[in-house]
Amino acid sequence: MKRVMLLILAGWLGGFAGNAFFGVLFSSQWIKNMLYDPAWQSQLYLDITPQRNLAVSIVGLIVLSGLHGIFFQLFKPAIPGRSWFQQGLFWGLTIWTTYYLFQEWFIYVTLLNEPITLALIELAILLIGSLIEGLVIALAVEKMTEPT
């Protein structure tokens, strides 16, 4: 049970780090001006997204990232790379492709009519944050599960 809690903690640390990065970038005036420019963005996106509860979304993503720590350990033998850094990058890419890529397409592009160019900018930010999450998880798992 202690090992599972350590893996969940590793996921939470990674989720916190990745979401901190998202918070810094998505709250920057430059990105906000781009994403909320009525000349570029769909009206539906402009109407709907300010209504979301960001605190609940962020806390939920961080809490759910605990599963990323567990899954990382479960899949670790099959993850390419010999070092925690290589495996962390792969794991971050896995998080991005299995979650954010689909979310961006199905929610923002197809449901809210966000233009592809803006979705690609968001996906680039989400990729970097996911890589950060994967690296933190891999490092934390490496340090927390080392034999003593």
Side-chain angles (χ1 to χ4, degrees), residues 19-39:
N19 277 278
F21 175 81
F22 297 151
V24 168
L25 257 73
F26 283 121
S27 65
S28 74
Q29 203 55 52
W30 181 71
I31 296 293
K32 283 171 44 176
N33 287 345
M34 191 179 334
L35 293 178
Y36 288 92
D37 184 343

Side-chain angles (χ1 to χ4, degrees), residues 89-109:
L89 287 176
F90 184 86
W91 191 241
L93 183 62
T94 301
I95 292 168
W96 182 79
T97 56
T98 58
Y99 181 73
Y100 291 112
L101 187 61
F102 291 99
Q103 172 191 270
E104 199 64 34
W105 177 257
F106 288 109
I107 294 174
Y108 292 98
V109 173

Side-chain angles (χ1 to χ4, degrees), residues 8-86:
I8 291 171
L9 179 59
W12 288 344
L13 291 171
F16 181 82
N19 277 278
F21 175 81
F22 297 151
V24 168
L25 257 73
F26 283 121
S27 65
S28 74
Q29 203 55 52
W30 181 71
I31 296 293
K32 283 171 44 176
N33 287 345
M34 191 179 334
L35 293 178
Y36 288 92
D37 184 343
W40 293 2
Q41 190 57 269
S42 77
Q43 189 58 49
L44 188 56
Y45 180 101
L46 296 172
D47 292 341
I48 297 290
T49 58
Q51 296 178 38
R52 66 186 160 198
N53 187 331
L54 279 178
V56 170
S57 295
I58 293 165
V59 169
L61 285 172
I62 293 170
V63 169
L64 290 171
S65 290
L67 292 172
H68 294 163
I70 292 171
F71 290 143
F72 176 80
Q73 182 64 28
L74 287 173
F75 298 130
K76 193 173 187 310
I79 295 175
R82 293 182 188 264
S83 69
W84 69 264
F85 186 82
Q86 293 167 330

